[in-house]
Amino acid sequence: MAKYLLLKHYRGAPAAVNDVPMDRWTPEEISAHMRYMNDFAARLEGSGEFVSGQALAQEGAWVRYDGEGRPPVTDGPFAETKDLIAGWMIIDVDSYERAVELAGELSAAPGAGGEPIHEWLELRPFLTEPPTITE
Amino acid sequence: MDEALLRSLSPSVLTVLVRRGAGFAAAEDAVQDALVEAVRVWPAGVPRDPKGWLVTVAWRRFLDATRADAARRRREDRVEEEPVPGPASGVDDTLQLYFLCAHPSLTPASAVALTLRAVGGLTTRQIAEAYLVPEATMAQRISRAKRTVSGVRFDRAGDVSTVLRVLYLVFNEGYSGNVDLAAEAIRLTRQLAGVIDHPEVAGLLALMLLHHARRAARTAPDGSLVPLAEQDRSLWDTELITDGVEILQAALARDRLGEFQAQAAVAALHADARAAEETDWVQVVEWYDELARLTGSPVVRLNRAVAVGEADGPRAGLAALSELDDSLPRHTAVAAYLHERDGDLAKAARLYSEAARKATDLAERDHLTRQAARLNAGRQG
């Protein structure tokens, strides 16, 4: 088993096929989308492939050390142009192929018109500890 | 084995030890040892005076530990002072433990954790689960808190309002995992109300009961937020409401108004309305005026603007809102709501989207996004 991080982006990812901002969906479409995401997580829990998931707030700030005795630099909570991560899900699966398959399934969550969004999700394997036993 | 009995006894046992001069951290360890011993021995027969039994065992454990690592003279002093083992006094002195756990030297997060541990008798694992942090992290947080208060003496009465604030924080954490923190906060506040006669303790208890009564109606089966006006009022717990209203009325009759009583009064007015339209908004505004006077809090004035919008119309609400700093949390959401009621749907939709971006709570963000979507869909269609 290997762990992978699935990253969902608010902005910064290549445009989705069904690219309509969420506040232009109907409330029913939003509910259907949320249901799909929750069902997906529940199904992975059932298959023993779910590790954790978390949604992130849309606004954040860049922070940088600015030298001894000075407060850290921030650019304020202005996030117009940054690559914004909306949330993540961590899965623990048997193969890279399975991880790609699941990411594809998540990307098919319904959006406007109940059609799949085809959004781009970022898939990143976790670095692991070296194995205790090498044969 | 009666776990509830042990949990209810452990704070007063701890208080006795601290009173006798044990440091908080050492006393806590000794009480834990005594509880473990009780779990082992009591199944064969619960002692006639369970608290006295626990005090005796815990005190001996404390002395053993002290003998083991303290300087010889201090040890001898303590042994000399050892009270005769026997039935503990019937007086519930848990109150001082509440004050200690809410000590101003603690951060609010530490005060909450320590209160749940020492007064509530929850295990570190249960508290960690409720806060979704690793058990080791919570153990560190609690032992740091214990160290912070270990030098504090029990001779001065603390500030009740600090204790109440801590309990309200516990209540607002809601629940997750096996521990329902809202129910735990109610249990502790009830216990506190039993040992201290103070209208604000009653006010907080009433407020918690009235909020808790609405819990089943507050979220839809899919986890989404249901605003007060749209809640299915048949799901409200009428027994809790009756309980809360009675406690509140008794407190108000004493004519020592405080912010928790005033907040509970607002909650009672909502609980009293069979339908959202029947809400007595004029009275709600009056209570918010009282609250603003008592607290000067901008959040209270924000809530007041909503109530004014209901009592005197959205224009009046917007006028009240315009006096407030628009960086306040939920300011944008309130503005969106009032503009919608005023008929400016385009502006309302834009503000709902903006409020959703600023939301820090998932259910709230989804709710606001739905509001924006509802208005946008309506305008397009």
Side-chain angles (χ1 to χ4, degrees):
Chain A
M1 301 287 274
K3 290 195 179 64
Y4 288 87
L5 175 65
L6 293 176
L7 280 182
K8 191 179 165 69
H9 294 255
Y10 277 117
R11 285 192 288 279
V17 173
N18 183 9
D19 193 14
V20 180
M22 210 177 214
D23 63 2
R24 299 279 151 180
W25 303 2
T26 65
E28 294 72 33
E29 285 161 2
I30 294 174
S31 298
H33 178 80
M34 298 303 171
R35 206 178 313 120
Y36 185 96
M37 307 275 284
N38 290 339
D39 290 351
F40 181 80
R43 206 148 31 77
L44 291 191
E45 267 179 46
S47 67
E49 293 171 307
F50 181 83
V51 177
S52 77
Q54 192 78 53
L56 289 177
Q58 214 171 117
E59 302 202 346
W62 289 100
V63 180
R64 199 199 66 199
Y65 174 64
D66 197 35
E68 193 68 48
R70 295 155 174 271
V73 183
T74 76
D75 71 339
F78 313 115
E80 286 85 355
T81 58
K82 279 195 290 279
D83 178 11
L84 279 176
I85 296 164
W88 70 76
M89 188 181 288
I90 299 172
I91 53 175
D92 192 359
V93 292
D94 280 329
S95 64
Y96 176 71
E97 288 69 31
R98 175 64 177 158
V100 171
E101 183 188 335
L102 289 176
E105 213 178 296
L106 193 58
S107 165
E115 294 300 314
I117 310 174
H118 301 268
E119 69 183 323
W120 290 98
L121 296 174
E122 197 180 340
L123 177 67
R124 304 270 295 271
F126 275 65
L127 292 175
T128 56
E129 298 282 316
T132 317
I133 300 163
T134 42
E135 281 178 290
Chain B
M1 188 63 252
D2 193 347
E3 201 199 321
L5 175 66
L6 282 182
R7 253 179 75 179
S8 69
L9 289 175
S10 78
S12 49
V13 174
L14 179 55
T15 313
V16 172
L17 262 67
V18 176
R19 260 217 190 145
R20 288 181 184 176
F24 188 80
E28 234 263 341
D29 289 342
V31 173
Q32 289 309 311
D33 283 348
L35 293 177
V36 169
E37 187 67 7
V39 169
R40 200 174 65 80
V41 173
W42 287 12
V46 177
R48 249 183 319 172
D49 176 11
K51 184 178 157 188
W53 188 96
L54 285 170
V55 168
T56 307
V57 174
W59 185 248
R60 283 191 187 137
R61 289 294 160 111
F62 167 70
L63 291 175
D64 287 346
T66 310
R67 280 186 192 111
D69 59 25
R72 189 188 177 87
R73 252 190 49 197
R74 279 187 47 212
R75 182 198 84 198
E76 285 169 357
D77 287 348
R78 285 201 202 277
V79 173
E80 220 159 84
E81 286 166 13
E82 181 178 1
V84 187
S89 82
V91 185
D92 192 341
D93 34 23
T94 315
L95 181 58
Q96 284 157 317
L97 207 52
Y98 276 94
F99 285 123
L100 186 65
C101 293
H103 197 268
S105 62
L106 295 169
T107 64
S110 300
V112 164
L114 197 59
T115 301
L116 289 171
R117 183 82 175 85
V119 190
L122 296 185
T123 65
T124 305
R125 175 188 291 272
Q126 285 173 314
I127 303 168
E129 277 171 5
Y131 280 89
L132 301 174
V133 299
E135 194 179 344
T137 305
M138 188 50 81
Q140 282 304 322
R141 212 180 277 178
I142 292 171
S143 51
R144 205 176 308 144
K146 283 197 236 168
R147 273 202 305 278
T148 306
V149 296
S150 63
V152 174
R153 301 298 308 172
F154 256 160
D155 50 5
R156 233 177 320 137
D159 180 4
V160 182
S161 67
T162 321
V163 174
L164 297 183
R165 215 164 293 281
V166 169
L167 290 171
Y168 199 35
L169 282 176
V170 175
F171 182 79
N172 274 318
E173 284 298 331
Y175 70 103
S176 81
N178 293 322
V179 188
D180 179 342
L181 288 182
E184 182 62 19
I186 289 174
R187 188 180 75 83
L188 296 180
T189 308
R190 239 189 234 288
Q191 188 185 310
L192 181 64
V195 288
I196 188 173
D197 183 29
H198 191 292
E200 274 292 87
V201 178
L204 178 62
L205 180 58
L207 177 63
M208 288 177 175
L209 292 171
L210 290 164
H211 275 316
H212 207 54
R214 296 202 290 255
R215 178 150 86 165
R218 208 154 34 217
T219 46
D222 66 359
S224 63
L225 211 68
V226 183
L228 182 58
E230 289 160 32
Q231 285 175 15
D232 175 356
R233 295 179 182 226
S234 70
L235 294 176
W236 290 2
D237 186 330
T238 46
E239 220 169 289
L240 285 184
I241 290 174
T242 311
D243 201 8
V245 168
E246 274 172 17
I247 292 169
L248 173 66
Q249 279 169 345
L252 288 175
R254 299 173 58 183
D255 207 22
R256 278 169 57 203
L257 189 64
E259 56 175 307
F260 288 120
Q261 292 170 74
Q263 278 194 63
V266 172
L269 286 169
H270 288 306
D272 199 36
R274 272 169 306 170
E277 312 79 65
E278 290 178 28
T279 311
D280 186 346
W281 287 107
V282 174
Q283 262 210 74
V284 172
V285 173
E286 286 169 9
W287 279 111
Y288 274 125
D289 287 338
E290 286 285 357
L291 262 176
R293 190 178 56 76
L294 287 165
T295 65
S297 150
V299 176
V300 165
R301 293 176 64 207
L302 189 68
N303 290 334
R304 183 182 168 277
V306 178
V308 168
E310 300 295 339
D312 305 328
R315 291 286 166 88
L318 285 167
L321 190 65
S322 67
E323 295 164 15
L324 297 170
D325 188 344
D326 61 9
S327 66
L328 273 174
R330 299 211 170 86
H331 185 283
T332 313
V334 170
Y337 174 74
L338 290 170
H339 278 294
E340 182 188 352
R341 287 206 49 226
D342 193 37
D344 190 346
L345 302 188
K347 186 160 193 180
R350 193 174 53 69
L351 288 169
Y352 274 129
S353 292
E354 191 186 325
R357 276 199 300 280
K358 289 181 184 165
T360 52
D361 165 316
L362 191 59
E364 190 181 321
R365 186 195 69 180
D366 291 346
H367 173 73
L368 292 166
T369 308
R370 275 197 190 85
Q371 298 299 318
R374 178 174 54 79
L375 295 185
N376 283 325
R379 288 191 306 131
Q380 285 156 358

